[in-house]
Amino acid sequence: MLSNRVGIILVTALAPAIWGTTYLVTTELLPPDRPLLAALLRALPAGLLLLAVTRRLPHGVWWWRALVLGALNIGAFLALLFVAAYRLPGGVAATVGAVQPLLAAALSAGLLGERLTPRTMVTGLAGLAGVSLLVLRADARLDAVGVAAALGGALVMATGVVLAKRWTSPAPLLATTGWQLVAGGLLLLPVALLVEGPPPAVLTGANLAGYAYLSIVGAALAYALWFRGIRALTPTGVSFLGLLSPVVATALGLAVLGEELNALQAVGGLVVLGALVSAQTTRRTSKRYDKEESDLAHHRLRSGTERRMPDGDSSAVPRP
């Protein structure tokens, strides 16, 4: 059971690790000054691809639930993220965004009954401090609109994560992922056209490769892994994994762009990794999760390890 949980955590962590490559891909491969186009082409083609593969549409309440989740996890989040990225230095945007695990923990307490423990609060503050040491610069400037956008992005993403846990879809994972990506992409489409106009008339091979990477790997694959993790883990634990993104972005800056790492940044990276480990080793403290696990164990006992005896009594006789 423990090894299975560790495996799920590691696979889920691949999603924010992939998202940590977005900055490098954007700066090195994509055309400049088209952030909303990047967000649109990241979400919509990936969602349409998953719909084509799964051939499954929402039913009943899942039409509006998919729209809400797509708006929170994809559309609104990416739009706010790019506004923050344009109006704030990257370090400021990442630091403000690192408040997301604390927001997810607070929302989980209200919507899922997950207890907000002092350990979670301390771990969240440690993660925030670690990200600030890792990416924040002393000469960073603040912009009110940019800070508001970064906070808004953290809030809508935290809300989306918690609601995705509360509204567990009966459909296959790839289908649910596709619904959200299409919904988010369709919401981004008019915004991108209004703000940035039509796409460039000419795209280079590097541009196309960058967009393909962001769509197939950065959206279709990464979001499928992310939503799978939400189904299996607590929303707070999943949100803490998001702190990997600035760590990966910094590591790529060192390895590919020749950036340098000072002592404070190294300490910040270690603090972030410590916060991640602490968050994932925190015991589940939700009555809802305890009940779900109890019901699951009872179901397994009844259907998997019990066998009805000839006289009609049920005994815990292991199956051969």
Side-chain angles (χ1 to χ4, degrees):
M1 182 68 72
L2 178 60
S3 62
N4 183 50
R5 174 176 166 79
V6 172
I8 293 173
I9 291 172
L10 293 176
V11 171
T12 306
L14 288 175
I18 291 171
W19 294 333
T21 67
T22 301
Y23 175 77
L24 180 66
V25 172
T26 300
T27 57
E28 298 300 308
L29 298 178
L30 300 189
D33 303 326
R34 304 304 295 264
L36 292 176
L37 176 64
L40 172 64
L41 294 181
R42 178 180 179 179
L44 190 55
L48 294 174
L49 174 63
L50 291 180
L51 286 186
V53 170
T54 59
R55 297 183 179 181
R56 183 155 180 173
L57 294 175
H59 293 281
V61 297
W62 273 98
W63 280 105
W64 68 265
R65 285 184 176 180
L67 180 62
V68 171
L69 292 176
L72 292 172
N73 288 315
I74 314 295
F77 170 70
L78 290 178
L80 291 168
L81 177 68
F82 282 116
V83 170
Y86 257 66
R87 300 188 67 102
L88 295 172
V92 176
T95 300
V96 176
V99 76
Q100 181 187 322
L102 291 172
L103 295 175
L107 290 169
S108 294
L111 296 177
L112 302 178
E114 187 176 333
R115 298 185 186 94
L116 185 58
T117 64
R119 177 176 175 176
T120 299
M121 294 295 295
V122 171
T123 303
L125 292 174
L128 179 61
V131 170
S132 67
L133 289 174
L134 182 65
V135 298
L136 196 60
R137 300 292 181 267
D139 58 349
R141 58 178 176 79
L142 296 180
D143 174 88
V145 174
V147 171
L151 284 173
L155 179 59
V156 297
M157 186 64 166
T159 305
V161 168
V162 174
L163 286 181
K165 182 68 175 184
R166 184 179 177 89
W167 297 337
T168 302
S169 171
L173 176 66
L174 291 182
T176 306
T177 304
W179 300 346
Q180 294 189 50
L181 287 169
V182 169
L186 290 176
L187 290 173
L188 282 168
L189 179 59
V191 178
L193 291 175
L194 180 64
V195 175
E196 296 180 355
V202 178
L203 293 174
T204 67
N207 297 156
L208 295 175
Y211 287 130
Y213 172 83
L214 290 180
S215 183
I216 297 172
V217 180
L221 174 61
Y223 275 107
L225 296 177
W226 184 248
F227 293 137
R228 178 180 181 270
I230 292 173
R231 289 187 177 188
L233 306 170
T234 66
T236 303
V238 172
S239 293
F240 269 103
L241 293 176
L243 298 179
L244 275 174
S245 288
V247 175
V248 171
T250 301
L252 287 175
L254 296 172
V256 179
L257 302 179
E259 298 176 354
E260 296 182 357
L261 187 72
N262 59 40
L264 282 179
Q265 287 179 293
V267 171
L270 292 175
V271 171
V272 171
L273 294 177
L276 289 173
V277 173
S278 175
Q280 303 313 317
T281 55
T282 301
R283 176 185 171 275
R284 282 183 173 183
T285 54
S286 166
K287 294 180 180 178
R288 173 182 172 180
Y289 296 140
D290 291 343
K291 183 178 184 302
E292 287 177 351
E293 292 182 350
S294 176
D295 291 345
L296 181 60
H298 178 71
H299 173 73
R300 287 174 175 169
L301 179 64
R302 296 287 298 174
S303 62
T305 61
E306 290 187 2
R307 182 172 64 188
R308 186 164 296 280
M309 302 302 290
D311 61 359
D313 291 333
S314 179
S315 303
V317 180
R319 292 182 175 179

